[in-house]
Amino acid sequence: EVCTISTACSSAINSIIVGCEMLRSGEADIIIAGGSEALSKFHLNGFNTLHILDTEVCRPFDATRVGLNLGEGAAFVVLQKDKVDGKAYIGGYGNKCDAFHQTASSDDGEGAYLAMCEALESSGIDKSQIDYINAHGTGTPNNDPSESVALKRIFSDDMPLVSSTKGFTGHTTSASGSIETVICVLAMQNNFVPVNYGFGHVDETCIHPFEGDDKQHRMEYVICNSFGFGGND
């Protein structure tokens, strides 16, 4: 059975959520879920008309950011229910839509806030236990402060380590959620926190992302964010 999920930049992580629901309902015993994205002139020009592309390396959460870089790629995960020797466990997930705008995120980050709250609630994990957040962090003037507000609403002064990995991959749009899920799993397996590549100037409207250190970080609980056009978070 094949199921295609199309929710813009949250497509791949939604495919993982749908896969989890299929396992929980007994509809399947094993699922391959993820996403892929290939660049095209149509794809590039669509984003160009929104005036959110950066001709330099993107700089998520940086005060000098002007937009995103488009990337292409693919990642898939194999999901099984209660597999004791799995590489990671999906404790919970959230999907919310703030229906604020066709492409923009709301100033108060409502959709992102609700999605993260739902993920925490469904997992039974307290927010104080979160070790790391892989942010959606596109590097656009709109997304980064909106996501930052949502994070601050939940974590306040007890912010976990946060970074966007899109400085390395570009924004792989429909594939981004699964690619970043795999990055999170690798980080957990190898006790490291991905740095926020491209960051160098603090923006008071944004969170201060992780810039790197020489330590090993025990990674037990992580959040991976993916936000799509139309407010699907």
Side-chain angles (χ1 to χ4, degrees):
E1 182 178 342
V2 177
C3 181
T4 301
I5 307 297
S6 181
T7 56
C9 300
S10 59
S11 297
I13 215 158
N14 275 330
S15 75
I16 295 173
I17 291 175
V18 171
C20 290
E21 289 292 309
M22 293 172 72
L23 290 175
R24 292 178 65 180
S25 69
E27 189 174 344
D29 298 318
I30 186 169
I31 297 284
I32 300 173
S36 63
E37 188 68 75
L39 290 176
S40 66
K41 288 183 178 180
F42 179 81
H43 191 166
L44 177 65
N45 289 330
F47 276 89
N48 200 32
T49 59
L50 297 173
H51 303 290
I52 56 172
L53 294 182
D54 194 342
T55 57
E56 306 295 330
V57 175
C58 69
R59 300 172 295 283
F61 302 110
D62 188 273
T64 69
R65 70 190 184 281
V66 296
L68 56 83
N69 303 145
L70 285 174
E72 60 181 358
F76 290 82
V77 294
V78 178
L79 305 173
Q80 288 180 269
K81 189 175 182 180
D82 301 324
K83 185 171 173 59
V84 294
D85 58 345
K87 296 183 183 299
Y89 182 76
I90 298 175
Y93 36 81
N95 180 300
K96 293 295 184 182
C97 185
D98 59 11
F100 172 73
H101 187 269
Q102 285 181 310
T103 59
S105 302
S106 58
D107 291 341
D108 61 0
E110 183 69 5
Y113 169 79
L114 291 173
M116 285 187 279
C117 286
E118 185 175 56
L120 287 166
E121 184 178 356
S122 69
S123 69
I125 297 167
D126 187 79
K127 63 182 182 180
S128 64
Q129 296 175 272
I130 301 299
D131 301 303
Y132 168 66
I133 298 168
N134 186 287
H136 188 57
T138 58
T140 60
N142 172 251
N143 173 89
D144 295 2
S146 176
E147 184 171 10
S148 294
V149 169
L151 289 166
K152 291 174 183 176
R153 287 175 65 183
I154 296 173
F155 296 100
S156 189
D157 294 329
D158 298 315
M159 189 71 65
L161 297 174
V162 183
S163 69
S164 166
T165 48
K166 289 182 173 65
F168 295 106
T169 64
H171 188 2
T172 54
T173 54
S174 299
S176 61
S178 56
I179 289 174
E180 288 155 18
T181 294
V182 170
I183 289 171
C184 286
V185 173
L186 290 171
M188 295 172 77
Q189 287 183 299
N190 295 284
N191 299 312
F192 74 93
V193 175
V195 300
N196 196 103
Y197 184 68
F199 180 82
H201 304 85
V202 174
D203 184 337
E204 296 300 330
T205 68
C206 294
I207 55 97
H208 191 134
F210 180 69
E211 297 183 73
D213 57 31
D214 296 326
K215 302 176 183 177
Q216 281 203 322
H217 294 266
R218 185 171 182 271
M219 303 274 278
E220 189 168 3
Y221 299 110
V222 306
I223 288 176
C224 186
N225 282 342
S226 281
F227 308 143
F229 283 170
N232 187 277
D233 302 328

